[in-house]
Amino acid sequence: MRVLVTGGAGFIGRPTVQILAAAGHDVTVLDSLRPDVHPAAPQVPGGRLVRGDVRDEDLVGTLTHDADVVVHLAAKVGLGVDLGDIVDYVSSNDLGTACVLRVAATEGVAKVVFASSMVVYGEGAYDCPEHGRVAPGPRRPTDLDAGIFDPRCPRCDAVLAPTLVAEDAPLDPRNVYAATKVHGEHLLSAWVRETGGSAVALRFHNVYGPGSPRDTPYAGVASLFRSELAAGRPPRVFEDGGQRRDFVHVHDVAAAVGAAARADTAGFAALNVGSGTVTTVGGLAEALAHAVGGPEPVVTGQYRLGDVRHVTASSARAREVLGWHATTSLADGLAHS
């Protein structure tokens, strides 16, 4: 199988390329090598690296000629800093995806695998003791100031209980990056209807592991905690540390991408890619501190209005559709990261 991997020099891209190459596939990597992501040119074992932008349709067309699958990982990632990033996000992610899909249609590519994210959900899934499954509204500053961090039922005002979010949950993007991922999924769905091809959007949950970006506002919480510990400082945990997340190792994520590229799927499918294990942010900070013998985390009680409280995945559909499931425990993953 001939595969083009956009963003293949990145954190998730490099192990994905290795997995595809190890399975005997012919892999070409297209990566812009943005200096804010790649201060030095990386090695990409198993793939032929071409430096270029996914918005360069002539170049993408050359690289997708005779390709069977495009794995589209290239994106400006993270939750952003402020609206000063909005044009870069929309151009890199929305326009970039549109260019890839237009070329894929022209070149007759049969399948596209797209890196989506759990941020498309906004808050995760919640149950009310009286009204069952409900979608919470924004958390109230008065509650947050009082240390009440869980959202309330919009009907009876009861504090809600979190549960696992499945792919049929409503999408509620709450920042620019999330909005671009939702739009990317919609573009993929339209591409499938127009071309009859197959597309899989993989909603990655909190990915961690070797090679994760650090010391940048766009890094994930695990990387931010690592950076603090490396500097001899205690990780600073917002709220009460009880925020629920699903931390999934990058090698498991790469395996999911490889499985999606190989799977005999039809139409459009969106699939959660998570570990299946619920971990609190405070618990992650403690585990990281213990793993490196660093100082204990400090729970600050601080909050950010735009943060979501709980979002954890059910990845049962990925097991059913792709035959994939995560195999790396958090303890093992942190020990080797």
Side-chain angles (χ1 to χ4, degrees), residues 35-336:
D36 57 343
V37 179
H38 300 285
Q43 298 295 315
V44 188
R48 178 174 67 94
L49 176 60
V50 176
R51 183 169 187 171
D53 196 298
V54 293
R55 291 165 291 191
D56 182 344
E57 292 187 48
D58 290 337
L59 176 59
V60 176
T62 299
L63 300 179
T64 55
H65 188 65
D66 293 332
D68 302 295
V69 179
V70 172
V71 173
H72 182 38
L73 305 179
K76 181 177 174 67
V77 300
L79 301 184
V81 179
D82 55 42
L83 284 180
D85 287 331
I86 189 170
V87 173
D88 195 8
Y89 272 113
V90 172
S91 179
S92 299
N93 298 359
D94 291 346
L95 179 59
T97 298
C99 291
V100 168
L101 292 177
R102 181 159 72 175
V103 172
T106 301
E107 296 294 333
V109 174
K111 186 169 196 172
V112 176
V113 178
F114 174 66
S116 188
S117 170
M118 58 88 174
V119 297
V120 300
Y121 297 117
E123 286 283 358
Y126 292 85
D127 288 330
C128 171
E130 181 176 352
H131 298 107
R133 185 63 48 85
V134 297
R139 296 185 291 171
R140 303 170 186 168
T142 52
D143 277 348
L144 297 171
D145 287 338
I148 301 170
F149 297 112
D150 289 319
R152 293 182 181 272
C153 176
R155 298 176 62 184
C156 70
D157 217 35
V159 173
L160 298 173
T163 187
L164 300 182
V165 64
E167 290 87 351
D168 57 358
L171 304 186
D172 182 20
R174 298 192 176 192
N175 55 62
V176 172
Y177 171 65
T180 66
K181 287 302 178 182
V182 170
H183 190 217
E185 290 194 16
H186 290 167
L187 292 175
L188 252 70
S189 182
W191 179 84
V192 166
R193 288 193 297 271
E194 291 288 335
T195 66
S198 169
V200 180
L202 298 176
R203 293 173 178 167
F204 302 148
H205 282 248
N206 294 78
V207 187
Y208 73 98
S212 61
R214 298 188 189 178
D215 302 317
T216 164
Y218 305 98
V221 66
S223 294
L224 295 175
F225 289 163
R226 281 275 195 191
S227 294
E228 290 295 290
L229 289 163
R233 297 187 295 264
R236 294 178 59 81
V237 180
F238 277 25
E239 301 185 13
D240 60 355
Q243 308 93 306
R244 290 161 47 112
R245 298 290 187 269
D246 185 324
F247 295 96
V248 58
H249 196 271
V250 66
H251 291 161
D252 284 328
V253 170
V257 177
R262 296 189 304 270
D264 183 17
T265 58
F268 171 77
L271 303 173
N272 285 333
V273 174
S275 70
T277 300
V278 174
T279 304
T280 65
V281 172
L284 173 71
E286 290 179 358
L288 281 168
H290 294 163
V292 301
E296 290 293 315
V298 173
V299 177
T300 68
Q302 294 174 280
Y303 64 85
R304 292 172 293 213
L305 281 176
D307 284 354
V308 299
R309 176 61 174 172
H310 304 298
V311 55
T312 52
S314 168
S315 298
R317 189 176 295 178
R319 182 189 287 265
E320 177 185 343
V321 174
L322 305 180
W324 169 91
H325 67 280
T327 60
T328 307
S329 70
L330 185 64
D332 286 345
L334 294 178
H336 298 94

